[in-house]
Amino acid sequence: MTSGISPASGRELSNPPSDGISNIRFSNHSDHLLVSSWDKGVRLYDASANVLRGEFMHGGPVLDCCFHDDSSGFSVGADNTVRRLVFNYNKEDILGRHDAPVRCVEYSYAAGQLITGSWDRTLKCWDPRGASGQERTVVGTYPQPERVYSLSLVGNRLVVATAGRHVNVYDLRNMSQPEQRRESSLKYQTRCVRCYPNGTGYALSSVEGRVAMEFFDLSEASQVKKYAFKCHRKSEVGRDIVYPVNAIAFHPIYGTFASGGCDGYVNVWDGNNKKRLYQYSKYPNSIAALSFSRDGHLLAVASSYTFEEGDKPHEPDAIYVRTVNEVEVKPKPKVYPNPPA
């Protein structure tokens, strides 16, 4: 364990990345964890056994990664390249490229397609089965209003958050134009967007210590439910210190969610009842990424300096895997007063 960090932080994975961690993702099929890093590497861990199962080194910082199935995944990064990684054979295929660094990647099980978002202001959809030439793998290229910062999928819905506080909502079955064009309800730059597991909307976080809870249904009855709240802040000598909210991860069973900020804290929220359920003890660095395992029993936490204050000495980058107790993530039942006799 890192000095000064209690076991309450979780078990620290051995052989962590040597530079900033850009994302961590649990598999949908096991407790395997895929990790991308600025050290140009993608690593596959067995999070339960604390074993490094595989490693791929690329030509530049890796900005995102995701699973295809338990034996393969995808990575994107600063070398503008989209790759498929086959873990068992330590083999990689190049699916294709963007014209600028590729910031995010998602695999749609519903559509059987890979979706990438780039700072070249485009989304691209790929057929990963045709990794033999770019002309056979690109299904479509879709211009965006600005650089893509974050993507999230639920079913056939895709939410794209870009610079300039734009949010586009697509139906993967008809990508010709967005189903909805929105603007973030937060005043500052978007850092992360994640869809609700029940498919009704999305949570969006900003660099200014806030999270917005949004709904897809444009009816007045649904839109009246949207709200935003402040988080990842502290008061010091009468002034507020506000931190970016880098990460959001939804619990797959209960639909509650964890947020991680540059203050080093992970908070768990019940979005429906507008309550904080839990705050974990502080981590040594900014929280760069979060992921719940498929059954919600594990939470992976990337404690990794995100250079929000420039280059400065910081604790080593680390990944902690904590066992989740139900009390931390299960919504508390509303208590109604007893009716008068």
Side-chain angles (χ1 to χ4, degrees):
M1 286 302 204
T2 311
S3 59
I5 294 299
S6 68
S9 301
R11 191 179 66 247
E12 189 174 341
L13 288 186
S14 45
N15 302 301
S18 59
D19 201 349
I21 297 163
S22 54
N23 208 1
I24 54 179
R25 303 244 200 172
F26 269 111
S27 165
N28 283 345
H29 306 281
S30 70
D31 289 340
H32 286 171
L33 186 72
L34 200 59
V35 177
S36 54
S37 168
W38 284 77
D39 70 2
K40 306 180 184 179
V42 179
R43 292 167 178 81
L44 176 70
Y45 297 90
D46 181 330
S48 295
N50 196 358
V51 173
L52 178 64
R53 293 264 182 230
E55 190 171 8
F56 295 84
M57 296 309 290
H58 296 340
V62 190
L63 302 181
D64 200 4
C65 61
C66 70
F67 279 96
H68 181 203
D69 51 36
D70 219 32
S71 59
S72 64
F74 303 98
S75 64
V76 297
D79 62 359
N80 307 0
T81 306
V82 181
R83 291 177 170 86
R84 181 174 61 185
L85 314 172
V86 184
F87 308 135
N88 301 346
Y89 303 107
N90 213 38
K91 164 179 174 288
E92 62 179 73
D93 300 314
I94 291 180
L95 283 182
R97 290 183 169 82
H98 278 265
D99 295 332
V102 192
R103 177 63 187 89
C104 25
V105 60
E106 292 285 343
Y107 180 73
S108 166
Y109 294 91
Q113 289 182 8
L114 189 72
I115 299 112
T116 55
S118 167
W119 293 341
D120 68 5
R121 304 183 181 206
T122 69
L123 274 186
K124 290 193 180 194
C125 292
W126 312 80
D127 180 349
R129 293 166 300 187
S132 50
Q134 185 163 347
E135 64 285 347
R136 283 198 284 276
T137 56
V138 178
V139 178
T141 302
Y142 309 100
Q144 297 303 301
E146 249 290 3
R147 289 154 293 161
V148 178
Y149 283 166
S150 189
L151 294 178
S152 187
L153 280 171
V154 61
N156 282 301
R157 274 238 167 80
L158 168 68
V159 181
V160 185
T162 75
R165 299 171 43 251
H166 300 282
V167 179
N168 280 345
V169 180
Y170 286 91
D171 183 331
L172 286 175
R173 295 162 298 189
N174 176 18
M175 291 289 294
S176 56
Q177 60 181 17
E179 198 176 47
Q180 298 176 18
R181 288 184 174 89
R182 296 185 172 201
E183 188 176 81
S184 166
S185 54
L186 305 181
K187 288 184 198 163
Y188 293 87
Q189 183 191 98
T190 304
R191 195 40 78 85
C192 180
V193 65
R194 291 291 177 265
C195 293
Y196 307 156
N198 68 8
T200 59
Y202 58 89
L204 180 145
S205 70
S206 80
V207 297
E208 188 256 344
R210 279 177 209 262
V211 171
M213 307 300 289
E214 303 281 352
F215 294 88
F216 294 129
D217 182 349
L218 295 174
S219 71
E220 200 175 327
S222 279
Q223 289 303 307
V224 77
K225 293 190 290 189
K226 73 177 195 176
Y227 67 97
F229 63 95
K230 297 177 182 178
C231 49
H232 299 282
R233 297 158 175 250
K234 68 176 179 186
S235 284
E236 250 181 27
V237 206
R239 68 189 187 109
D240 256 1
I241 299 174
V242 180
Y243 296 93
V245 184
N246 297 321
I248 296 170
F250 278 89
H251 191 274
I253 309 300
Y254 294 120
T256 52
F257 65 97
S259 66
C262 287
D263 55 353
Y265 282 105
V266 176
N267 295 315
V268 182
W269 309 92
D270 176 353
N272 289 335
N273 294 313
K274 304 185 181 180
K275 282 188 165 56
R276 185 169 77 180
L277 296 175
Y278 210 81
Q279 181 177 69
Y280 295 118
S281 51
K282 189 175 180 180
Y283 286 87
N285 280 316
S286 304
I287 306 303
L290 296 167
S291 184
F292 281 106
S293 60
R294 71 201 186 287
D295 58 7
H297 284 128
L298 298 175
L299 174 63
V301 179
S303 167
S304 178
Y305 180 51
T306 55
F307 287 80
E308 64 276 5
E309 294 175 3
D311 202 356
K312 68 171 194 180
H314 57 87
E315 292 289 328
D317 300 301
I319 299 160
Y320 296 90
V321 177
R322 57 180 313 126
T323 303
V324 177
N325 293 321
E326 203 173 65
V327 68
E328 300 161 0
V329 292
K330 187 176 181 178
K332 293 178 174 58
K334 282 187 173 174
V335 180
Y336 294 100
N338 288 329

